[in-house]
């Protein structure tokens, strides 16, 4: 496979506050530092893949406002082809309100804005973006009908389809049949499968016909699930300061691995490495490493293991 990666998904401006802990309902917590970072699961995954050397296009939608311009420029600076990102004349750019606790854990509320108006019609207008496609990458911060239409268009062109079902919502078998690799985290797996424990959640999804299932397990790594048996590919041990976009770093890197012809297990190792570097840095897109940074990180680990 030597084609490109297409991301159809969201772009958000992230408004991030450091907090001593996450507030309870009805509670006000006095926080610390504040930062504004380019984010959105779609854009993060596109930037992650481009920084790792992938040829990446994105179809998305922002507002005709300053945040929208910043997000487009930021993605372009990372090497993403941005000509298929449109500016909506009526809705503002999506925004994510994020709190990060001292252990690097986050809570996120997204106001989708223009992302909510990424309609199937825009896919038709941007059909050129699907030419020469190797891997389509999808999430669930844009309308489900658009996600389904994109998956179908990619399959019709013989491309692989990767779906990160975040934020989680119930999915029908028709969409799952168009997906080659489903990459939920544990809470997303629980919602999709209706089962609270990992093993039964995996079993339910495999029974529903999911072909490739990778469940990200935070600092434990990722579970590569298959009919014949599952195995965990461990995460790298690092000092996490901010896990925002860890999942996106993983997904973007996994897509690059697939395009490079790596087996899913090896692509997942690349994902673990990129995500490990990302959690040692603050912010979504600023935290996503280049290929050289990932190689340097891995070389350091090999050196330390001698
Ligand atoms: P987020 O929503 O915070 O972006 P997520 O819930 O989608 O993340 P996780 O399962 O938390 O996804 O993490 C994705 C991947 O990131 C993991 O599979 C692992 O490779 C890496 N990762 C996450 N947290 C850590 C950590 N503390 N140390 C090392 N690697 C981590
Ligand atoms: O996955 C992290 C992303 O989720 C953040 O960048 C935020 O914008 C939300 O979409």
């Amino acid at each position: 496979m030597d084609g490109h990666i297409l991301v159809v998904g969201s772009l958000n401006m992230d408004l991030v506050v450091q907090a001593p802990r996450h507030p309870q309902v009805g509670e006000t917590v006095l926080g610390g530092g504040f930062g504004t970072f380019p984010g959105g699961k779609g854009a993060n995954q596109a930037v992650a893949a481009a920084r790792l050397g992938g040829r990446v296009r994105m179809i998305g939608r922002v507002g005709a406002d300053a945040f929208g311009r910043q997000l487009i420029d930021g993605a372009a600076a990372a090497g993403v082809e941005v000509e298929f990102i449109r500016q909506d004349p009526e809705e503002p750019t999506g925004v994510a309100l994020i709190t990060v606790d001292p252990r690097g854990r986050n809570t996120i509320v997204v106001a989708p804005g223009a992302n909510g108006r990424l309609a199937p019609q825009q896919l038709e207008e941007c059909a050129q973006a699907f030419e020469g496609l190797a891997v389509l990458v999808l999430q669930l911060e844009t309308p489900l009908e658009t996600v389904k239409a994109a998956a179908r268009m990619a399959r019709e062109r013989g491309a692989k389809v990767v779906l990160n079902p975040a934020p989680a919502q119930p999915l029908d078998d028709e969409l799952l049949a168009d997906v080659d690799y489903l990459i939920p985290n544990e809470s997303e797996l629980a919602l999709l499968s209706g089962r609270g424990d990992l093993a039964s959640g995996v079993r339910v999804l495999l029974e529903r016909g999911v072909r490739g299932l990778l469940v990200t397990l935070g600092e434990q790594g990722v579970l590569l699930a298959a009919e014949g048996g599952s195995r965990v590919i461990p995460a790298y041990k690092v000092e996490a300061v901010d896990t925002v976009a860890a999942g996106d770093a993983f997904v973007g890197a996994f897509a690059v691995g697939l395009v490079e012809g790596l087996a899913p297990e090896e692509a997942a190792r690349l994902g673990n490495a990129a995500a490990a570097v990302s959690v040692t840095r603050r912010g979504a897109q600023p935290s996503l490493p280049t290929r050289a940074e990932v190689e340097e990180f891995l070389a350091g680990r090999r050196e330390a293991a001698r």
Side-chain angles (χ1 to χ4, degrees):
M1 257 192 260
D2 61 355
H4 68 270
I5 294 167
L6 173 64
V7 177
V8 174
S10 58
L11 304 98
N12 297 324
M13 191 55 79
D14 292 352
L15 311 182
V16 185
V17 179
Q18 309 299 320
R21 59 188 169 76
H22 297 293
Q24 305 288 317
V25 173
E27 186 189 18
T28 301
V29 170
L30 201 55
F34 170 75
T36 305
F37 303 104
K41 293 184 194 301
N44 295 345
Q45 292 172 18
V47 166
R51 290 220 177 113
L52 293 171
R55 282 180 49 210
V56 185
R57 291 175 186 160
M58 180 165 185
I59 298 178
R61 205 164 180 89
V62 294
D65 49 30
F67 281 168
R69 195 66 259 162
Q70 270 175 267
L71 288 167
I72 292 174
D73 291 348
V80 177
E81 292 176 34
V82 296
E83 67 192 270
F84 304 105
I85 302 174
R86 302 280 188 254
Q87 288 188 281
D88 192 289
E90 287 164 23
E91 287 291 326
T93 296
V95 166
L97 299 182
I98 302 181
T99 50
V100 179
D101 75 10
R103 290 173 60 186
R105 299 173 306 180
N106 61 71
T107 62
I108 305 180
V109 179
V110 173
N115 295 303
R117 303 225 310 174
L118 178 59
Q121 189 190 335
Q122 189 174 331
L123 302 180
E124 298 299 335
E125 290 163 8
C126 300
Q128 204 192 332
F130 287 79
E131 281 172 21
L133 181 60
V135 176
L136 174 71
V137 179
L138 298 163
Q139 327 73 33
L140 298 177
E141 283 186 335
T142 51
L144 192 55
E145 56 173 346
T146 308
V147 171
K148 287 182 174 181
R152 178 44 52 97
M153 286 171 78
R155 268 195 94 69
E156 283 168 0
R157 288 158 176 79
K160 295 273 181 225
V161 177
V162 174
L163 172 61
N164 172 220
Q169 60 174 287
L171 298 177
D172 59 37
D173 290 347
E174 191 191 352
L175 172 59
L176 293 181
D178 279 341
V179 171
D180 294 283
Y181 296 99
L182 186 72
I183 312 185
N185 66 14
E186 283 178 279
S187 64
E188 291 148 8
L189 175 76
L191 189 140
L192 287 176
S193 65
R195 300 295 161 87
D197 75 288
L198 185 59
S200 347
V202 164
R203 200 174 55 246
V204 166
L205 286 191
L206 292 179
E207 281 168 6
R208 281 183 68 189
V210 171
R211 288 186 289 278
L213 177 59
L214 294 97
V215 185
T216 62
L217 306 170
E219 63 189 4
Q220 289 177 58
V222 61
L223 182 89
L224 200 56
E227 288 290 356
S230 302
R231 58 167 306 194
V232 171
I233 301 168
Y236 294 91
K237 288 211 181 323
V238 291
E239 195 69 41
V241 298
D242 179 348
T243 63
V244 175
D248 300 330
F250 181 91
V251 171
F254 182 78
V256 170
L258 288 184
V259 172
E260 291 179 355
L262 298 183
E265 189 168 327
E266 290 311 311
R269 284 186 208 285
L270 181 62
N272 277 347
V277 176
S278 81
V279 303
T280 64
R281 303 167 173 175
R282 294 205 184 279
Q285 288 169 34
S287 75
L288 300 168
T290 62
R291 190 61 170 250
E293 288 169 334
V294 170
E295 298 297 347
E296 195 184 332
F297 171 80
L298 290 172
R301 292 296 154 135
R302 281 193 293 271
E303 189 62 32
R306 275 195 198 158

